[in-house]
Amino acid sequence: MSFYSTQPRKQRLQRYSAPHHQARKQMASHLSEELLLKYNRRSLTVIKGDEVKVLRGDFAGQNGKVLTIDAKERKVTVEKVINKKADGTEVARAIDPSNLLITKLNLEDKRRRAKLEAAEELAKKGEAGKAKSPKAPKAKPAKSAKKEA
């Protein structure tokens, strides 16, 4: 069982020293309104090929596909989001995933597609967000007290 500290400095330390597989999961972006209603999820981990919209910064309002993901730096590069250097060369600008909105999902990954389809089925049934709890064990009848004679 793991416990998390309430101290911000320790939370930051855990975040920045997290192993690669955990750091990757921390790179999530909100879904657009249509995707939110379809899959009944607010956010999803960004992967290469997702179409996103930049919400904050110099490139706010810009749309494009995710080109690369840097789990170590926790940054994403998006096409059409570039900086021009003094010598005229263009360099991709890294953006934090929290400043992005996913507008179209890349469903080439079978596991991602299966997970989202399962969520979509639950959303259609109206059971989305309800955790299936295991059946409670039946209560045993109380033992009778010894009879006093």
Side-chain angles (χ1 to χ4, degrees):
M1 178 185 259
S2 64
F3 295 97
Y4 294 102
S5 175
T6 57
Q7 295 180 2
R9 66 188 169 101
K10 288 188 179 180
Q11 290 176 356
R12 281 191 294 272
L13 179 67
Q14 284 295 109
R15 179 172 169 82
Y16 295 127
S17 62
H20 187 271
H21 71 283
Q22 290 177 356
R24 183 73 191 86
K25 290 178 185 174
Q26 294 172 358
M27 297 180 59
S29 295
H30 283 273
L31 296 175
S32 66
E33 189 69 29
E34 304 85 46
L35 295 175
L36 185 144
L37 294 173
K38 183 176 181 181
Y39 297 113
N40 202 30
R41 292 188 61 147
R42 182 164 303 279
S43 63
L44 202 61
T45 303
V46 181
I47 66 170
K48 182 178 175 180
D50 283 346
E51 290 186 21
V52 296
K53 178 180 179 182
V54 181
L55 299 177
R56 298 269 188 247
D58 297 335
F59 297 96
Q62 189 83 294
N63 293 315
K65 278 190 175 182
V66 174
L67 297 176
T68 62
I69 294 172
D70 186 359
K72 186 175 181 181
E73 297 292 325
R74 290 176 179 76
K75 298 288 182 181
V76 174
T77 57
V78 180
E79 68 180 4
K80 301 178 188 173
V81 178
I82 52 174
N83 279 341
K84 287 191 178 183
K85 292 172 66 175
D87 63 357
T89 58
E90 296 179 344
V91 180
R93 170 92 175 262
I95 300 174
D96 194 270
S98 65
N99 296 330
L100 300 175
L101 179 75
I102 300 175
T103 56
K104 187 176 177 187
L105 295 170
N106 177 8
L107 296 175
E108 292 175 6
D109 183 12
K110 292 177 186 175
R111 285 183 283 175
R112 188 184 203 197
R113 188 180 331 119
K115 187 176 181 180
L116 288 172
E117 286 172 357
E120 188 176 6
E121 289 298 320
L122 287 174
K124 286 180 182 177
K125 290 180 183 177
E127 299 175 8
K130 294 182 181 177
K132 295 190 177 190
S133 59
K135 293 182 179 179
K138 294 181 180 178
K140 294 181 181 178
K143 293 183 179 179
S144 59
K146 291 184 179 180
K147 295 180 183 178
E148 294 181 23

